[in-house]
Amino acid sequence: MTMRTSDLNRIKALPLFASLPDETFRDATAGSFLQRFPAGTTLLMEGDPVDFLYVLLDGIVELQGSWKDKETTLAVLRPVSTFILAAVMLDAPALMSARTLERSEILMLSGEALRRTARMDAGFGYAVARELAGCYRGLVRSVKNQKLRGGTERLANYLLTQRVRQNGRATIVLPHEKRVLASLLGMTPENLSRAFAGLAGHGVSVNGPEVTIAKPQLLERLARPSPLIDNHMPPPKQPLGKAEIESWPPDPKQPVAPFGG
C-alpha cells in the first residue's frame, strides 16, 4: 500500500526517527510498506526470522510467549508503537509472537535498511540505543511487578494506572477483554475474578468492562504504587525519607510524569 504523507509524518514524530535529517529518514524507511490486517491475524511467530520492524499506526497488537501448552501475554500495544526492534537490530529470531486484536494498520520497515542506517548514522544509532533502553526499563518494571506483588496488588496497581490514563475518572473502561488482562497480569481468568472480588472492600465494583473506583485513596493504600515499578508515578528527585514513604503516593490531584519515562 502506498505511504500517505500523514503516515510518514506520524513515523517521523516517533522518538526513534524524530531527530533524523530528511535524507537519513528516507534511507531508514527505504523499502517500507503499509498493510492492513483483520483482527486475529498472526503477524509473526516466536522463533521466526525477523525481516521487518513493525510500526503500529492503528489498531491493537498483542505480544505473546509460549512454552509447551502454555501461552502468556507479554504486552498489548496501541498506536503509535514500534515492536520487535531488538530482534531487528541483532538480525535474530523473534522471541515472541504478535497478533492483531482488532483491525490494524501496520508499517513494515526493512530490517536491513535500519541496520545499515544505524551503522552509518551516529544520531540514529543513539536513537536506537535510547529506544532499546526504554524497552529494557519497561521489562525491569514488569519483572518487579510480577515477582514482588501478589495478584490482587498487581490488579490494584493496574487499575490505578488506568485511572490516571483515563483522566482520573471514577469509572474507567478496561482497555482489554478480561482474558487478555488476566494473562497480562500473570493470572488465570479465575484468579482475576477472585482478585476483583477481593478489591470490593477497597471501593472497587465491576460492571462488564466498566470498573468504578469509589475510594481511590483506599485502593492506593493497598496497592502502594512505586515510581520504581509503576511508570505513571513521578520519580522522586531524591531518596525518600521515612515520612515521605509512609505518605506515598502523593496527592492524586497533582500532575504525574508522562507514560513510558
Side-chain angles (χ1 to χ4, degrees):
M1 185 185 304
T2 304
M3 288 289 295
R4 300 184 296 260
T5 300
S6 58
D7 294 325
L8 286 172
N9 289 339
R10 292 173 75 188
I11 303 305
K12 189 70 169 66
L14 288 169
L16 186 60
F17 300 107
S19 62
L20 295 187
D22 290 342
E23 183 177 354
T24 305
F25 180 70
R26 285 193 296 270
D27 290 341
T29 57
S32 63
F33 57 96
L34 189 64
Q35 282 196 291
R36 293 193 178 100
F37 299 94
T41 300
T42 298
L43 302 172
L44 75 158
M45 294 290 294
E46 56 185 320
D48 284 351
V50 178
D51 298 319
F52 300 98
L53 174 69
Y54 295 82
V55 183
L56 177 64
L57 296 177
D58 191 35
I60 303 176
V61 168
E62 178 184 14
L63 302 181
Q64 298 174 306
S66 64
W67 185 70
K68 293 186 177 180
D69 60 345
K70 297 180 180 180
E71 287 187 350
T72 189
T73 301
L74 301 172
V76 178
L77 305 179
R78 292 178 178 272
V80 175
S81 303
T82 63
F83 57 100
I84 218 75
L85 177 60
V88 167
M89 298 313 297
L90 291 173
D91 195 12
L95 295 181
M96 50 192 172
S97 302
R99 72 182 184 98
T100 57
L101 292 182
E102 61 180 41
R103 184 177 181 276
S104 300
E105 191 170 275
I106 295 175
L107 174 67
M108 302 171 72
L109 301 171
S110 164
E112 178 54 40
L114 292 171
R115 289 190 293 272
R116 183 176 61 248
T117 304
R119 286 192 297 266
M120 298 179 64
D121 187 279
F124 182 60
Y126 179 67
V128 168
R130 286 184 60 87
E131 183 88 358
L132 291 174
C135 293
Y136 172 76
R137 286 175 63 81
L139 175 63
V140 171
R141 289 179 186 274
S142 179
V143 170
K144 290 173 70 176
N145 186 49
Q146 293 282 345
K147 287 184 172 290
L148 297 175
R149 289 170 170 162
T152 302
E153 292 170 324
R154 293 198 297 274
L155 176 59
N157 278 285
Y158 177 85
L159 295 177
L160 290 175
T161 298
Q162 292 303 317
R163 180 174 179 267
V164 172
R165 292 181 176 178
Q166 297 182 34
N167 301 315
R169 293 199 298 264
T171 298
I172 62 174
V173 178
L174 296 176
H176 319 302
E177 59 179 284
K178 290 177 182 176
R179 173 197 64 81
V180 174
L181 175 57
S183 186
L184 187 63
L185 294 177
M187 305 164 71
T188 65
E190 294 76 17
N191 286 337
L192 179 66
S193 294
R194 283 193 286 270
F196 269 119
L199 293 180
H202 295 79
V204 175
S205 58
V206 185
N207 182 19
E210 295 186 344
V211 178
T212 298
I213 304 173
K215 301 176 181 179
Q217 292 180 338
L218 189 61
L219 187 63
E220 286 170 352
R221 282 202 291 272
L222 169 68
R224 294 184 64 84
S226 164
L228 301 180
I229 300 178
D230 308 290
N231 63 8
H232 72 279
M233 298 293 295
K237 295 182 180 179
Q238 57 187 10
L240 297 177
K242 181 179 179 181
E244 293 174 294
I245 292 173
E246 290 176 347
S247 66
W248 196 264
D251 185 342
K253 296 180 181 179
Q254 295 299 314
V256 298
F259 306 119

